[in-house]
Each structure stands twice: as C-alpha cells, then as structure tokens.
C-alpha cells in the first residue's frame, strides 16, 4: 500500500486522481491518506457533522454506510458532490457550511479506515464529574421572582450554550455554558432542575431556584451523546437522571440532584435481525409517569428497553423487539403508549408500557421524524398522534385509542400534505386548535424558512404557509434561515419558532400568537447564536405536546 503523507490538499488531489484512475470498481484500492493535520480536521468535522447520521464506525443508520468498501467505489469526485449538494435521499447540502477544501478532505477521509474511539467507563465519568454548587449550599426555596413554569431553555447550538428566556417578558434571563453543540433540555419531575446534554457528552444540571439560575453540577457521560431524562414516577421525583451515549454505546444512571454516576450499562448486542452490532447507539429516552421506568430506544439494534429503576442494583429490563434505526418519539395523550420512529426503516413502533409489549409496528412514508410528535383529537378518527417526515412531504396521523376507536388504533388514518419534505418537528397543545409543522431540512430556501399551520377543526382546509424569515425583519442573506422547532408557551396561546441561521449571521426566535398566527415578538440578541430547540419548562416537565 502506498501511503501519501504530503499536505492535505495535494494528497487529496492525488488521492482523487488515484481513485478516479482506479475506476468505479475500487478493486485493489490503495487507501487514500491525508496529512495528520488534514486528517485531524476532517475527523473533527466528521464527528461534528456526519457521525450523527452515519455512525462513529460509519456503519450507517439514518445515513448510508460510509465504510471504505462503499465509499471507495463511489470515488472522490462523487463523494465531494454528495457532501456539497446533498442527496434526494434526505442528506442536506454542506456547501454553505464547509469550505471547498474541507469538502474535498472529508471526501478523502471517509474513504480511509475509520478510527475506533476510546471507551469511556466509570472511572472516566467519575473524574469528569464536577460539583459546582453542592446540594447543601443550594437554596431551599425559589430565590428569584421568575415564573419558572414559563421559562424556555433554548439551545444555542454553535455557541455551546443554552439561553434561559422568560416566556412572559421575552427577556433573556441568563446564558449558561454547556456542552458542544447542545442537543436537548429535559426537566426534573419537580420542574426545579433542567438537564442539558451536548453532543460531546457533557451533561449540565441547571438549578432554576438559584437567584441567577446556573449550572450546579456537570459530568461527561460519554464522547458523543444526544439524550437525557429523569425519574418522573411518584416517589422517585428528582431522584435519578439517565443519559444515553452514541459513543461509547451505553447509558448511565446518576443521582438526580448531583449527577453522581451510579450505574453504567452497555447497549452493544444483537440487532432484531440476529446480528451482532458493535455500535448500537442510545437514541431517545423518556420517563414513564405510570411506572418507575424509562423507555430507552437503541438505534441500531431496534430493541426498545423498558428499564425499571426501582432497584438499580438489581436492574430489571424488558427488551422489546421492534425495527432498526430507532430515533425520536413521544407519548400518546394517555401516556401509556410510546411511539418511536424507526426512521430509516420507515416505521413507527408503538410500545404499550402498561403491558410491556410491542402494540404495533406501523408502516409510514419515508423517514418519520416526530421530535416528540403531537397529540390531538381528530374530528373523525378520535385521538391521534402526528409525525412529520424528513423524506416525504406529509404529516402522518396514527390513531391511538384502542378502546373507543379500535378500528383506527395503530393505523395511519390520514396523511396531511405539507409544504415540503425535510420536516423535523410538529407541535400542538391541548388548549390549541392548530398544528405547526416545520421543514428546515428542505433544500428550497423558501420552504425551509417557512412553517405550515393546520386548523385541527377542519383538516380539509389547506394549511396556512408562514414565511418566518420574511416576517422576522432580519436582514436578507444568501444563507437559509431555517425555521425550526415550534414550541408552545405554558398557556398554550403562543408558538415560538427558531430562525436558525449561520454561526456568524443574526438568528432570532419569532413568537406567534397561536390564534391569530400573527407575530407577537421577535427575540433577537447579538449573543443569540444558532437557536434550535426550545423547551418550555412546564410543557417539558409534563410531556405536553
Ligand atoms: Fe436531534 C432530539 C439525534 C440532528 C435538534 N435528536 C433528538 C433525539 C435524538 C436526536 C436521538 C431524541 C432525544 C430524546 O428525546 O431523548 N439529532 C440526532 C441525530 O443523530 C442527528 C440526526 C444528527 C446529529 O449529528 O446529531 C440530529 N437534531 C439534529 C439537528 O441538526 C438539530 C435540528 C439541531 C441541533 O440543535 O443540533 C436537532 N434533536 C433536536 C431537537 C430535539 C432533538 C430540538 C428535541 C425535540 C423535542 O421537542 O423533544
């Protein structure tokens, strides 16, 4: 094998020439190389931009496998095109995020053998665990005058921060340093603590009772993570937290108010097809309110774990076989059934958490992506749960009432046409008559900058299309300001939509009056960098969606 160790660009060029000279077969392929600096930079970019969909070991999940056996066949120039322009299969374009050199080196990098990152065990976790304000130095009552129920914890993705925004005054109460490319916030059962997880596995615990809410504990739960939740069952409120990692594939149970790690469980194992998988990543985790249990969804194996936390020394787990590529999901309105997207299998799995059984596997259009989904009562089909799709321009409605609407339960009862594929989140509220649907991953600027709003009392009506970017008053820019993640306030009469622009461009949160669908307020701030997810304390605490 000839190893090239010249500068990144020249090497990539030579690698590109070498690969194209080999033709499509890749037979007898020599492995392309990059300079150490270019490799390190590409490795970082791969982790930041690609690993979420394609996996650290590049075995594929939501995205295709990127092991050299496949990538070398595609070749340098085809790979560069895919990275720059995206694909019809749902991959977004990166030509507005990465430079030409970065795209070229990344295309070379994915033809090289993947590095296996290190493990992250209990000793590493303990060493990373920091108590910033010990429990006995924290207040015993709320020390500020904030209406905590209506605080929004807002992900400022590229700043590695969350902004706590007062939902009543729309003022930023504080900005808190958290992990890299923060992913989600979840609430403790009491509503006092916010748990924030970053992609780098840093979990931060924010105490809302402090005079100035701040991080009181933190821990690095893994090297790559997306999910966290807490113990919400009666008698266990605020007792435990649980966080899942993409790498290493494992979840950890911690003390709820200190984040002290208590128990680490690996998720490596066998897929629903009976094959061993070395990287079964932990996708969504939710806490049951009807049992002392978490629903932990394992992406690559397609196994849904019901983990009973009433005795963590003797942990009882029910393993439910569903479909591969489990991702995100939410409760039905009764909070008995959990619906989770098996996204690259184009299915939604329904778990009956009361009976500990799979209730159904529902076939849907391409790549369902519910976030937590949306529950409402359909005029004809009774209670339904809605999911949007990354790969199709519909919102799918699934019947969720096996008792009073048996014929419709766990069936796709209707597909609402949307303004375009590339949807990530849908949202409604028990007090609202609207369903808000985004499409931030759509390649068309107009579509990605808009949301569609459906009238739930008459779904035969066309949805209203709202171009959030145009209404925001932000200066026009070439880059897309993706309208993402509609979130209700506590009262259920306002909807907050993020305008997610580039790291160096102005972003905003646009607040709509839910009834009139008119702009009430545009929240801007020079420090409001790339807002994405927004988590209203009360709604997140009580799983209202
Ligand atoms: Fe997410 C939820 C994984 C990209 C914003 N995202 C989730 C969950 C998972 C996940 C497993 C469910 C957590 C739970 O409920 O416990 N997300 C991934 C990825 O693997 C993926 C596809 C690629 C990656 O590299 O991370 C990915 N996600 C994104 C984004 O690019 C988004 C749009 C912007 C961002 O902030 O990075 C994004 N994901 C979100 C949000 C939620 C989420 C806002 C929570 C939705 C909710 O309402 O609960």
């Amino acid at each position: 094998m000839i190893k090239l160790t010249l500068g990144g660009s020249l090497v990539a060029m030579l690698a590109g020439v070498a690969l194209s000279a080999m033709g499509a077969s890749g037979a007898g392929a020599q492995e392309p190389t990059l300079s150490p600096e270019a490799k390190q930079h590409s490795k970082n970019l791969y982790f930041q931009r690609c690993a979420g969909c394609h996996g650290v070991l590049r075995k594929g999940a939501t995205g295709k496998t990127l092991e050299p056996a496949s990538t070398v066949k595609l070749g340098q120039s085809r790979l560069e095109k895919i990275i720059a322009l995206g694909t019809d299969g749902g991959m977004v374009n990166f030509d507005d995020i990465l430079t030409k050199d970065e795209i070229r080196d990344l295309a070379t990098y994915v033809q090289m053998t993947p590095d296996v990152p290190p493990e992250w065990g209990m000793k590493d976790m303990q060493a990373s665990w920091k108590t910033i304000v010990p429990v006995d130095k924290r207040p015993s009552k709320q020390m500020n005058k904030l209406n905590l129920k209506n605080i929004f914890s807002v992900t400022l993705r590229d700043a590695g921060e969350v902004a706590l925004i007062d939902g009543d005054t729309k003022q930023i109460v504080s900005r808190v340093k958290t992990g890299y490319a923060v992913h989600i916030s979840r609430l403790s059962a009491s509503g006092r603590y916010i748990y924030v997880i970053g992609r780098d596995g840093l979990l931060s615990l924010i105490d809302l009772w402090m005079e100035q809410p701040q991080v009181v504990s933190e821990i690095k739960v893994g090297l790559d993570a997306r999910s966290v939740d807490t113990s919400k069952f009666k008698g266990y409120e605020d007792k435990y937290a649980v966080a899942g990692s993409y790498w290493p594939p494992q979840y950890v149970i911690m003390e709820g108010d200190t984040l002290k790690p208590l128990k680490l469980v690996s998720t490596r194992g066998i897929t629903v097809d009976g094959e061993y998988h070395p990287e079964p990543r932990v996708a969504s985790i939710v806490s049951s309110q009807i049992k002392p249990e978490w629903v932990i969804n394992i992406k690559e194996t397609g196994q849904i774990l019901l983990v009973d936390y009433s005795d963590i020394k003797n942990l009882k787990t029910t393993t439910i076989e569903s479909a591969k590529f489990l991702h995100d999901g939410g409760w039905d309105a009764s909070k008995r059934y959990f619906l989770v997207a098996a996204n690259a299998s184009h299915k939604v799995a329904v778990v009956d958490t009361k009976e500990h059984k799979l209730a159904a596997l529902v076939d849907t259009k391409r790549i369902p992506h519910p976030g937590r989904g949306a529950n409402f009562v359909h005029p004809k089909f009774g209670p339904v749960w809605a999911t949007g799709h990354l790969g199709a321009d519909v919102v799918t409605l699934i019947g969720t009432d096996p008792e009073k609407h048996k014929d419709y339960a766990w069936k796709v009862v209707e597909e609402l046409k949307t303004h375009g594929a590339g949807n990530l989140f849908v949202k409604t509220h028990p007090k609202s008559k609207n369903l808000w649907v985004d499409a931030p991953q759509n390649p068309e600027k107009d579509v990605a900058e808009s949301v569609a709003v459906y009238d739930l009392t008459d779904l035969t009506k066309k949805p209203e299309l709202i171009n959030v970017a145009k209404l925001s008053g932000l200066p026009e820019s070439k880059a897309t300001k993706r309208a993402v993640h509609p979130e209700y306030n506590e009262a259920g009469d306002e909807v907050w939509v993020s305008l997610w622009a580039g790291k160096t461009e102005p972003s905003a949160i646009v607040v709509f009056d839910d009834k009139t669908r008119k702009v009430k307020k545009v929240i801007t701030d020079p420090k409001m960098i790339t807002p994405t997810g927004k988590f209203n304390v009360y709604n997140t605490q009580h799983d209202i969606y």
Side-chain angles (χ1 to χ4, degrees):
M1 181 188 296
I2 304 164
K3 289 259 178 191
L4 303 169
T5 48
L6 307 170
S9 44
L10 180 58
V11 168
M13 198 181 81
L14 290 173
V17 171
L19 286 163
S20 37
M22 282 181 323
S25 80
Q30 64 191 34
E31 183 173 297
T33 63
L34 293 168
S35 70
E37 304 75 50
K39 184 176 176 200
Q40 187 55 45
H41 187 59
S42 303
K43 189 174 168 175
N44 292 346
L45 286 179
Y46 181 83
F47 169 71
Q48 291 161 5
R49 304 285 174 187
C50 321
C53 290
H54 299 278
V56 170
L57 302 180
R58 300 200 227 128
K59 291 195 172 293
T62 309
K64 291 216 158 62
T65 164
L66 293 181
E67 289 178 303
S70 323
T71 48
V72 168
K73 273 188 205 152
L74 284 170
Q76 180 74 18
S77 63
R78 176 91 188 101
L79 286 166
E80 283 181 26
K81 256 194 209 122
I82 294 174
I83 298 170
L85 305 176
T87 65
D88 289 344
M91 173 160 154
V92 293
N93 57 307
F94 284 92
D95 57 351
D96 59 347
I97 297 173
L98 304 177
T99 65
K100 278 199 173 124
D101 285 0
E102 286 175 332
I103 291 175
R104 184 202 52 225
D105 287 356
L106 203 49
T108 307
Y109 178 76
V110 295
Q111 297 171 70
M112 297 162 71
T113 306
D115 295 320
V116 180
E119 297 297 313
W120 191 258
M122 196 46 118
K123 278 199 196 110
D124 301 302
M125 277 186 212
Q126 277 161 348
S128 75
W129 174 45
K130 274 194 213 136
T131 304
I132 295 135
V133 183
V135 174
D136 61 358
K137 297 273 181 313
R138 294 182 203 161
S140 52
K141 59 179 187 3
Q142 186 182 335
M143 299 305 286
N144 54 57
K145 298 225 157 39
L146 299 166
N147 172 13
L148 293 185
K149 290 179 177 171
N150 203 27
I151 294 289
F152 286 70
S153 179
V154 177
T155 295
L156 302 180
R157 189 190 186 281
D158 292 348
E161 294 180 349
V162 297
L164 300 179
I165 303 185
D166 184 331
D168 298 347
T169 62
K170 321 283 187 280
Q171 298 299 316
I172 300 178
V173 173
S174 62
R175 285 187 5 256
V176 182
K177 273 268 160 239
T178 53
Y180 161 80
V182 189
H183 214 85
I184 62 166
S185 297
R186 293 291 189 244
L187 263 293
S188 71
S190 69
R192 170 180 181 173
Y193 291 112
I194 302 182
Y195 299 76
V196 181
I197 189 115
R199 277 184 175 78
D200 57 356
L202 186 69
L203 174 62
S204 310
L205 178 68
I206 299 170
D207 184 356
L208 289 174
W209 282 8
M210 311 273 293
E211 205 174 328
Q212 175 78 10
Q214 69 169 84
V215 174
V216 288
S217 296
E218 61 181 34
I219 186 170
K220 201 164 156 65
V221 296
L223 302 174
D224 187 5
R226 299 291 183 283
S227 49
V228 61
D229 212 346
T230 62
S231 49
K232 287 192 174 167
F233 187 62
K234 212 165 176 291
Y236 294 87
E237 293 95 337
D238 298 17
K239 189 172 165 64
Y240 295 123
V242 58
S245 294
Y246 268 16
W247 189 272
Q250 61 196 25
Y251 65 88
V252 58
I253 302 174
M254 295 154 281
E255 278 180 4
D257 56 354
T258 66
L259 301 185
K260 179 182 177 189
L262 301 172
K263 188 171 187 103
L264 184 55
V265 183
S266 171
T267 54
R268 287 191 172 98
I270 307 292
T271 68
V272 288
D273 301 333
E275 300 299 333
Y276 176 73
H277 200 293
E279 191 191 352
R281 298 176 287 171
V282 179
S284 46
I285 301 183
V286 291
S287 184
S288 167
Q289 294 183 26
I290 62 168
K291 284 185 182 178
E293 256 176 21
W294 292 302
V295 183
I296 301 187
N297 299 286
I298 313 301
K299 189 187 289 285
E300 279 77 7
T301 57
Q303 310 282 7
I304 301 171
L305 311 181
L306 302 183
V307 176
D308 177 341
Y309 55 72
S310 61
D311 178 1
I312 63 165
K313 280 272 172 228
N314 303 286
L315 202 65
K316 284 197 280 303
T317 303
T318 306
T319 304
I320 296 179
E321 196 176 300
S322 67
K324 289 196 290 192
F325 313 122
L326 297 171
H327 194 75
D328 49 353
W331 294 104
D332 80 308
S334 76
K335 312 265 194 294
R336 168 174 170 174
Y337 299 96
F338 184 71
L339 294 99
V340 54
N343 66 11
S345 299
H346 320 302
K347 291 183 197 303
V348 167
V350 186
V351 185
D352 179 350
T353 60
K354 191 170 168 208
E355 297 294 335
H356 277 197
K357 277 192 179 134
L358 185 75
L361 258 185
V362 185
D363 285 310
T364 65
K365 289 260 160 60
R366 282 181 60 77
I367 322 180
H369 191 286
R372 285 167 287 169
N375 287 294
F376 62 93
V377 180
H378 190 284
K380 178 166 171 211
F381 305 111
V384 294
W385 177 87
T387 177
H389 293 256
L390 262 167
D393 57 353
V394 294
V395 166
T396 299
L397 306 185
I398 296 174
T400 58
D401 179 13
E403 273 166 28
K404 295 200 186 104
H405 297 83
K406 199 163 176 251
D407 290 350
Y408 305 128
W410 320 133
K411 292 196 179 112
V412 174
V413 291
E414 193 169 345
E415 285 171 344
L416 307 172
K417 182 106 172 101
T418 66
H419 56 312
N423 161 266
L424 286 179
F425 303 107
V426 292
K427 201 60 65 80
T428 186
H429 186 279
K431 291 191 187 138
S432 169
K433 296 277 173 253
N434 286 327
L435 175 71
W436 293 67
V437 176
D438 67 13
Q441 304 298 83
N442 194 287
E444 297 295 326
K445 191 168 191 271
D446 250 12
V447 176
E449 293 187 338
S450 302
V451 291
V453 189
Y454 295 80
D455 179 347
L456 295 178
T457 59
D458 183 1
L459 287 166
T460 60
K461 275 204 272 191
K462 276 201 164 168
E464 182 180 354
L465 269 191
I466 301 177
N467 189 313
V468 185
K470 286 215 170 96
L471 289 177
S472 70
L474 290 184
E476 274 282 335
S477 61
K478 209 175 138 222
T480 305
K481 299 180 187 72
R482 300 173 201 279
V484 67
H485 200 250
E487 173 81 351
Y488 277 83
N489 63 343
E490 185 218 348
D493 57 11
E494 279 175 5
V495 179
W496 293 35
V497 180
S498 301
L499 273 182
W500 172 18
K503 196 174 174 179
T504 52
E505 288 161 61
S507 289
I509 293 173
V510 182
V511 181
F512 289 92
D513 181 312
D514 181 54
K515 266 212 182 85
T516 62
R517 304 168 182 182
K518 298 273 176 286
V519 175
K520 258 179 112 167
K521 174 92 189 165
V522 179
I523 308 174
T524 49
D525 188 284
K527 298 278 165 51
M528 175 95 78
I529 298 165
T530 56
T532 53
K534 302 160 296 305
F535 303 89
N536 173 270
V537 164
Y538 187 83
N539 294 340
T540 311
Q541 177 190 358
H542 296 282
D543 301 299
I544 295 170
Y545 35 82

